[in-house]
Amino acid sequence: MKPLPTMADVARLAGVSAMTVSRALRHDASVSCRTRARVLEVIDELGYVPDKVAGALSSGRSGLVAVVVPTLTLPLFGSLTRGLGDTLFQAGLEMFLGASDYDPDREERIVKDVLRRRPEAIAIAGVGRTEKTSALLQASGIPVVEFLDGADPPIDHLISVDPVAVAQATIAHFSRKGRRSLAILTQREQTHRRGAARVDALTDAAKAAGMAPPRIIRVGSPLAPFEQGARAAMEALDADGEVDALVCMNDHAAIGAVDALLRRGMRVPDDVAVFGFGDYEICRHVRPEITTVGFNPLKAGVEIGKIMLSALEAARRSTAQDPYRLTLDFEIVERASA
Amino acid sequence: MKPLPTMADVARLAGVSAMTVSRALRHDASVSCRTRARVLEVIDELGYVPDKVAGALSSGRSGLVAVVVPTLTLPLFGSLTRGLGDTLFQAGLEMFLGASDYDPDREERIVKDVLRRRPEAIAIAGVGRTEKTSALLQASGIPVVEFLDGADPPIDHLISVDPVAVAQATIAHFSRKGRRSLAILTQREQTHRRGAARVDALTDAAKAAGMAPPRIIRVGSPLAPFEQGARAAMEALDADGEVDALVCMNDHAAIGAVDALLRRGMRVPDDVAVFGFGDYEICRHVRPEITTVGFNPLKAGVEIGKIMLSALEAARRSTAQDPYRLTLDFEIVERASA
DNA sequence: GTGAAAGCGCTAACAC
DNA sequence: GTGTTAGCGCTTTCAC
């Protein structure tokens, strides 16, 4: 297996210097048309593929942006990373993606590994995070964008939905529907920040609306949301008619909950209303259709990407720059399940 | 913003040479315990993070494996990449993930970009692919693993479900159920290989079973599978009772189809049976539950990972090695929709 | 058990 | 418009 051709090989065959090849490749410098044509011809002939490892080391710019999410098996993160990846791609940056499976230790290892690749910026979802991870991000010297939720206070830039606003809208919805006793499905781990903020906000809003204090349900794994929702529904039933509405952390959990309730002969929403989050496409294709919090992950990804690009631009010019704070739009999507 | 500490900084502070730091970091060489301890202490103090860009250039090993999938928004690929990523991770390799959105040109660009990072191996899903992409993969000099389907003949290693076996099992199922007129939903693009093989195999099997030649339906985008399924169902209805079974290329499309049929007042499966692929979790949580082809993507990802590791091992020792051929298990999961 | 020298393949900076 | 020089931060190789 002979070694891949290098820039020097191309240069030799084209009768120019390596520098000229480098320039011809980037279309930016002033290389004569004829020279460029010849160089490109040789490149094609040789099947030369430039080595970005070397380029990155030399230029100090890896062309990489790191993105860390909890999982890729939820449509939310699949779509978000699509929007984010596209936006970065168009700006000539590649996305290096890691999934923590909702495990803070694993996330720490991912962050550590990814920082070794010298990304130019990093975006990370604000689920539970170890101290060490925060320290690593702080010390990385690159723009850090937290999304969906961040540390408190945020490390740098933050893009999130406002959990208090979502909670108030949710409670207002149930208030209108005459529901009195909520159950909230949330993560088992105390480390999950967004989960915690969500529960607190819902609890506060319920209290303000004169409802009973919500029952907190911590079951199952976020990696198996359908099953998690189903188990939550069972717990809600164990409350013996005291629960008339179940708020899930995502639509898949809501669908699992609805399914479990129907199998037990309960009526949804008559006996128990079920409320999701995300407005995944599937919500419109199950019966009863799922009432949920509408949130556009593709657009969120694009927004995150734009902020990363601005932050990078500012960092490059070492312009002092206030951290971005972007609150993402959402809406309550009223359907049949709640 | 002062520059990140380098290995030389660590070496200086620890009173050793850079080489010793490098060894201490890898636990492999013979460094005295005391020296290693001191080095690690300094590393911690400085918050030193080794630069893998430099390491990769120097050693010629990037520690990266490239994985190219059509999309991350289907549970199939989310889970598959999870299994694959985990397997590689455990072997000390990082996964560089790209999604083509089912666009061959985009896939070409992704492959080109990713090869610049000098991955040690590449796994790529066998959907449609440009000539150039194949040439790039061929010339890359690294192990290439095609999965789910590959070029014909495969470039190197291949891991796939057997489309003929799946088709025969599917037709056998419908035969038992007394269905006579199938419609097959498939990709619009002719470039999609797996789609083409699937359709051919189903057509052949239907003929062998004495059924009417299946109607081929090409609508919608694979990126919006629910809508695609719904549109396919409408086309099937336009056939005016001539279609009694619809075979979809994935479970989301099947769910979209079922939903559309129910909305039109049709009965599923009585009027039209609907058949999916993948056995996504959601299949068990919708009504009617979806009959589908059971296939374990997490396990498939692990298998792909193992083969990549073997291939890498062989390549390292430049052991001549037959290309792997692995056929993935599947089973027909009979539920209510077909 | 440790260190010195050389170089991986590219690009920044400057010279012409 | 093009070439030269000097590294980027590591690891390889070999010397001790």
Side-chain angles (χ1 to χ4, degrees):
Chain A
M1 197 177 69
K2 69 164 184 286
L4 264 29
T6 73
M7 196 174 255
D9 297 328
V10 175
R12 200 173 314 116
L13 272 176
V16 295
S17 73
M19 203 53 237
T20 300
V21 176
S22 177
R23 286 176 182 128
L25 235 23
R26 277 178 302 170
H27 300 274
D28 67 10
S30 40
V31 179
S32 80
C33 282
R34 298 191 57 249
T35 311
R36 163 172 295 130
R38 190 151 30 93
V39 167
L40 294 180
E41 200 175 300
V42 172
I43 284 176
D44 204 51
E45 188 179 313
L46 243 49
Y48 168 70
V49 177
D51 185 332
K52 268 208 181 173
V53 178
L57 177 60
S58 178
S59 67
R61 304 202 296 98
S62 65
L64 233 43
V65 164
V67 178
V68 183
V69 295
T71 179
L72 288 170
T73 56
L74 285 176
L76 175 73
F77 292 108
S79 298
L80 189 143
T81 53
R82 184 153 84 94
L84 178 48
D86 284 357
T87 307
L88 297 171
F89 202 61
Q90 279 163 30
L93 290 165
E94 285 160 70
M95 176 173 66
F96 195 106
L97 199 54
S100 70
D101 292 347
Y102 291 96
D103 175 349
D105 292 327
R106 202 188 148 97
E107 185 186 67
E108 179 179 317
R109 181 163 161 201
I110 289 173
V111 167
K112 209 182 295 171
D113 282 351
V114 89
L115 287 178
R116 292 195 231 270
R117 304 276 174 194
R118 295 295 184 265
E120 302 186 26
I122 183 166
I124 183 164
V127 292
R129 183 179 300 162
T130 66
E131 294 278 342
K132 185 91 196 278
T133 303
S134 298
L136 281 167
L137 293 171
Q138 292 271 12
S140 68
I142 55 176
V144 175
V145 177
E146 293 170 273
F147 60 91
L148 295 199
D149 193 14
D152 188 20
I155 296 179
D156 197 357
H157 311 292
L158 176 64
I159 301 177
S160 61
V161 290
D162 178 353
V164 173
V166 172
Q168 287 171 347
T170 305
I171 296 299
H173 170 87
F174 282 123
S175 212
R176 272 199 310 281
K177 301 284 177 182
R179 304 284 163 164
R180 309 297 308 152
S181 322
L182 265 54
I184 306 171
L185 169 58
T186 190
Q187 313 298 87
R188 198 163 25 185
E189 300 80 18
Q190 316 84 320
T191 50
H192 190 112
R193 292 196 156 272
R194 173 161 160 255
R198 221 179 114 260
V199 169
D200 290 350
L202 279 165
T203 304
D204 291 350
K207 187 175 174 184
M211 292 181 182
R215 175 180 298 257
I216 311 300
I217 299 180
R218 297 178 187 280
V219 291
S221 155
L223 288 176
F226 295 103
E227 189 200 322
Q228 192 179 26
R231 292 180 56 188
M234 293 305 93
E235 288 230 356
L237 286 187
D238 285 347
D240 241 356
E242 278 172 29
V243 168
D244 59 14
L246 175 62
V247 183
C248 297
M249 80 281 272
N250 68 56
D251 292 332
H252 281 178
I255 289 169
V258 167
D259 182 39
L261 290 168
L262 295 178
R263 279 172 202 275
R264 293 298 170 109
M266 308 295 290
R267 290 164 306 160
V268 178
D270 310 69
D271 296 320
V272 181
V274 177
F275 196 91
F277 184 93
D279 193 20
Y280 305 163
E281 264 191 276
I282 184 76
C283 289
R284 293 191 299 272
H285 300 286
V286 294
R287 263 154 303 274
E289 292 184 28
I290 305 295
T291 295
T292 185
V293 178
F295 164 76
N296 187 334
L298 197 70
K299 195 176 143 212
V302 172
E303 295 296 336
I304 295 169
K306 283 187 193 160
I307 286 192
M308 297 192 93
L309 294 175
S310 308
L312 272 171
E313 189 53 40
R316 250 168 224 164
R317 307 196 299 228
S318 43
T319 314
Q321 145 118 43
D322 283 346
Y324 286 96
R325 291 284 176 275
L326 180 65
T327 301
L328 294 167
D329 294 334
F330 71 91
E331 57 173 331
I332 303 296
V333 183
E334 283 204 33
R335 298 207 183 90
S337 75
Chain B
M1 198 177 65
K2 70 163 180 290
L4 263 29
T6 72
M7 196 173 255
D9 297 329
V10 176
R12 200 173 312 115
L13 272 176
V16 295
S17 74
M19 205 47 244
T20 301
V21 176
S22 177
R23 286 176 181 129
L25 233 25
R26 276 177 304 168
H27 302 275
D28 69 7
S30 42
V31 178
S32 80
C33 280
R34 298 191 56 249
T35 312
R36 164 172 295 129
R38 190 152 30 92
V39 167
L40 293 180
E41 200 177 300
V42 171
I43 284 176
D44 203 53
E45 187 180 313
L46 244 49
Y48 168 69
V49 176
D51 185 330
K52 268 208 181 173
V53 178
L57 177 62
S58 180
S59 68
R61 305 203 296 98
S62 64
L64 233 44
V65 162
V67 178
V68 183
V69 295
T71 179
L72 289 170
T73 57
L74 285 177
L76 174 73
F77 292 108
S79 298
L80 189 143
T81 54
R82 184 152 84 92
L84 179 48
D86 284 358
T87 306
L88 298 170
F89 203 60
Q90 278 163 31
L93 290 165
E94 286 160 68
M95 176 175 66
F96 195 107
L97 200 55
S100 69
D101 292 350
Y102 292 94
D103 175 348
D105 292 327
R106 203 188 148 98
E107 185 185 65
E108 179 178 318
R109 182 164 160 198
I110 289 173
V111 168
K112 208 181 298 171
D113 282 352
V114 89
L115 287 177
R116 291 195 231 269
R117 304 277 175 194
R118 294 295 184 263
E120 303 185 26
I122 182 165
I124 183 164
V127 293
R129 183 179 301 164
T130 66
E131 294 278 342
K132 186 91 195 276
T133 303
S134 298
L136 282 166
L137 293 172
Q138 291 271 14
S140 67
I142 55 175
V144 175
V145 177
E146 294 171 90
F147 60 92
L148 295 198
D149 194 14
D152 189 20
I155 296 179
D156 198 357
H157 311 293
L158 175 64
I159 300 177
S160 62
V161 290
D162 177 354
V164 172
V166 171
Q168 287 171 347
T170 306
I171 295 300
H173 170 88
F174 282 124
S175 211
R176 273 199 309 281
K177 300 285 177 185
R179 304 284 162 164
R180 308 298 309 155
S181 322
L182 266 55
I184 306 170
L185 170 57
T186 192
Q187 312 298 87
R188 196 161 24 185
E189 300 80 16
Q190 318 84 317
T191 50
H192 190 110
R193 289 194 158 274
R194 174 162 159 255
R198 222 180 113 259
V199 169
D200 291 349
L202 280 166
T203 303
D204 292 349
K207 187 175 175 188
M211 293 181 181
R215 178 180 297 256
I216 312 301
I217 299 179
R218 298 179 185 279
V219 291
S221 155
L223 288 175
F226 294 103
E227 190 199 321
Q228 193 179 25
R231 291 181 55 190
M234 294 304 94
E235 288 230 355
L237 286 186
D238 285 348
D240 241 354
E242 279 172 31
V243 168
D244 59 15
L246 176 62
V247 182
C248 297
M249 79 281 275
N250 67 56
D251 292 332
H252 281 178
I255 289 170
V258 167
D259 182 40
L261 289 168
L262 295 179
R263 281 172 201 274
R264 292 300 170 105
M266 308 296 288
R267 290 164 307 158
V268 177
D270 311 68
D271 296 322
V272 181
V274 177
F275 197 91
F277 184 94
D279 193 21
Y280 304 164
E281 267 192 274
I282 184 79
C283 289
R284 292 190 300 272
H285 299 286
V286 293
R287 260 154 306 274
E289 293 185 27
I290 304 295
T291 294
T292 185
V293 178
F295 164 76
N296 187 334
L298 196 69
K299 194 176 143 214
V302 172
E303 295 297 336
I304 296 169
K306 283 185 192 161
I307 286 191
M308 298 191 93
L309 294 176
S310 308
L312 272 171
E313 189 53 39
R316 252 169 222 165
R317 308 196 298 228
S318 41
T319 315
Q321 145 118 45
D322 282 345
Y324 286 97
R325 292 284 176 278
L326 181 65
T327 301
L328 295 167
D329 294 334
F330 72 91
E331 57 174 331
I332 304 296
V333 183
E334 280 206 45
R335 298 208 184 89
S337 76

